[in-house]
Amino acid sequence: MKQLIIAFALLTFGFNSQAQTWSADVSHSNVVFTTSHMIVSDVDGSFKKFEATMASSKADFSDAKIKMDIVANSINTDNEKRDAHLKSPDFFEVDKYESISFESTSVKSLGNGKLSISGKLSMHGVTKNVTFVATYKVGTNIGNQKTIAGFKINGKLNRKDYEIGTSTPVAVVGDEVIFKINLEMVKG
C-alpha cells in the first residue's frame, strides 16, 4: 500500500512539473462583441483591459486550466455617451461589478486544432456554466524565439441571462451578444 501511495505521488508530481504556464500577450489579443441596435444595425465594442493565463502539459491543450479576467470598466464602443450608459447601473454596473471572469472546468480536444472549452462565466454578479469552441495554432515568435499559441474563441450569449440591461427592450438593444476573443498566449 505504501508503494502505491508513493507511486501515485510521483505520478502526480511528475504531471504537475511538466505543466507549462502561458500568459496572454494583450498587445496582440482582443475581446470584441457585437449586438443589434434598433433591430436594423449592429454595434461593435470591445474590452480594452484583460488578462488570461493557462497551464497545460499536453500539446493539444486537452488538459488546460484557463483563467481570464476582463475589467468591465474598460468597455469601449467608440462613443463616450454610450460607454457611460453601458457602465451605469442600467447595464454593467461597473462600480459594483468590476470584472467579468471565466475559469475553465474542462477542455476537450476536438481534433484538427479545435477545442471544446467548458467553464464558469461570471458577469454582473451572475455565474453560469458555458461551453465554447476554440481553434488554435502554435508557433514561434520570430523576434524573441518564444513559443506562442493563438486561440480564437467565438460564441454568443444572452445579456439578460446575466441580468444586464434587463429593462432595455430587445427592440433597442438585442438580447443576443456575439463575441470573438483572440488570445496570443506566450509560453513560460
Side-chain angles (χ1 to χ4, degrees):
M1 180 69 163
K2 186 176 180 181
Q3 290 175 336
L4 182 61
I5 293 171
I6 291 171
F8 177 75
L10 287 173
L11 284 172
T12 301
F13 176 76
F15 172 80
N16 289 335
S17 67
Q18 293 175 0
Q20 298 293 317
T21 58
W22 301 72
S23 58
D25 176 351
V26 295
S27 65
H28 295 103
S29 302
N30 56 53
V31 177
V32 297
F33 63 88
T34 302
T35 192
S36 66
H37 179 251
M38 299 288 186
I39 305 175
V40 299
S41 65
D42 288 340
V43 173
D44 298 327
S46 65
F47 290 93
K48 298 297 185 183
K49 294 181 183 177
F50 57 89
E51 59 183 36
T53 58
M54 176 176 69
S56 180
S57 64
K58 294 185 178 180
D60 68 358
F61 301 107
S62 60
D63 67 340
K65 302 291 183 203
I66 303 163
K67 289 184 180 181
M68 184 169 192
D69 286 302
I70 299 169
V71 177
N73 194 37
S74 72
I75 195 167
N76 183 329
T77 64
D78 290 327
N79 182 293
E80 289 181 22
K81 185 177 177 183
R82 179 174 49 226
D83 293 346
H85 190 205
L86 289 170
K87 293 174 186 182
S88 78
D90 289 344
F91 286 92
F92 284 93
E93 201 169 356
V94 299
D95 290 338
K96 185 175 180 181
Y97 304 106
E98 297 176 357
S99 69
I100 300 165
S101 62
F102 174 80
E103 186 166 351
S104 66
T105 54
S106 74
V107 177
K108 296 177 184 171
S109 174
L110 301 176
N112 298 319
K114 287 187 178 180
L115 299 169
S116 174
I117 303 172
S118 297
K120 296 189 178 300
L121 177 63
S122 298
M123 180 168 34
H124 197 247
V126 177
T127 300
K128 297 227 174 250
N129 292 316
V130 294
T131 300
F132 306 119
V133 173
T135 59
Y136 70 90
K137 292 182 181 179
V138 179
T140 302
N141 181 318
I142 59 172
N144 60 21
Q145 300 303 307
K146 289 187 176 185
T147 301
I148 56 175
F151 292 86
K152 293 181 181 181
I153 305 159
N154 296 300
K156 57 186 166 181
L157 54 86
N158 187 314
R159 66 181 170 89
K160 290 185 178 173
D161 288 347
Y162 293 89
E163 299 176 13
I164 294 175
T166 55
S167 64
T168 303
V170 69
V172 177
V173 176
D175 287 347
E176 183 178 84
V177 179
I178 299 168
F179 64 87
K180 181 178 175 183
I181 299 172
N182 291 303
L183 292 175
E184 183 173 307
M185 302 294 284
V186 181
K187 186 177 179 182

